[in-house]
Amino acid sequence: LECLIRSYTHNNFQVRSIRSQSAVRDNLILSPPFHIAVGDTVQISESLYNDGLYVIDAVTENGMTVTGGTLIDSDDNLVTKVSYPPDLLIGAVNMLRWDTTNRDKVGVQSETVSRHSVTYFNMDGDNAVMGYPRSLLGFLKPYMKARF
């Protein structure tokens, strides 16, 4: 869901003021950026091997360890903190809630049992984006960035 939102909005939600050029040795990011804490998300870019999103597992005086994949030793890695606004997190929770309650009903337009009839949301044409109802993705509009 995180990658889906980042791709749809063309926004990587990076905090560019919290960034450093760091080396990776033995699955440890050396000289990480300041103001990084356990549980934060970082993005490694401009690397030959380690590009991607990682969650900080531990921070020590030697460096920091991450979860989300094994890091390959490399000298040039741009490490940037990623921070999502609170309303974006609430919207993502609503998307997950929709997944759990309505995903199995996609493709069923109506259902009738005896005298009880139910009509479901139509998920074709302009009503759906990325497998979700367009109305559910309205919270992403303020975070959309132009793509050139």
Side-chain angles (χ1 to χ4, degrees):
L1 192 59
E2 180 178 11
C3 291
L4 185 82
I5 289 172
R6 289 167 58 100
S7 174
Y8 180 69
T9 60
H10 307 294
N11 189 338
N12 54 21
F13 299 96
Q14 290 182 344
V15 181
R16 292 189 173 108
S17 59
I18 304 177
R19 168 183 277 180
S20 73
Q21 193 72 30
S22 303
V24 173
R25 295 285 179 267
D26 301 321
N27 215 29
L28 185 72
I29 299 175
L30 307 175
S31 64
F34 294 109
H35 308 293
I36 294 284
V38 173
D40 285 348
T41 302
V42 294
Q43 180 174 0
I44 296 180
S45 54
E46 298 181 12
S47 171
L48 292 175
Y49 312 108
N50 300 314
D51 286 356
L53 295 171
Y54 300 91
V55 177
I56 305 301
D57 191 35
V59 179
T60 66
E61 65 274 353
N62 297 332
M64 65 183 180
T65 58
V66 295
T67 57
T70 302
L71 297 174
I72 298 172
D73 290 357
S74 174
D75 289 329
D76 296 317
N77 302 279
L78 185 62
V79 181
T80 309
K81 182 178 179 177
V82 175
S83 180
Y84 299 103
D87 59 332
L88 191 85
L89 299 176
I90 292 168
V93 168
N94 289 336
M95 289 174 74
L96 290 172
R97 187 176 299 133
W98 185 88
D99 261 343
T100 59
T101 58
N102 296 322
R103 182 62 67 188
D104 59 341
K105 296 175 183 140
V106 171
V108 178
Q109 193 158 2
S110 65
E111 181 178 290
T112 303
V113 177
S114 186
R115 295 186 326 204
H116 178 72
S117 178
V118 177
T119 303
Y120 297 105
F121 184 78
N122 191 0
M123 290 287 291
D124 62 350
D126 291 333
N127 294 331
V129 176
M130 301 180 308
Y132 292 93
R134 184 174 293 280
S135 60
L136 190 63
L137 299 177
F139 73 98
L140 293 174
K141 189 168 182 143
Y143 303 105
M144 300 286 282
K145 288 193 173 183
R147 185 172 174 182
F148 298 102

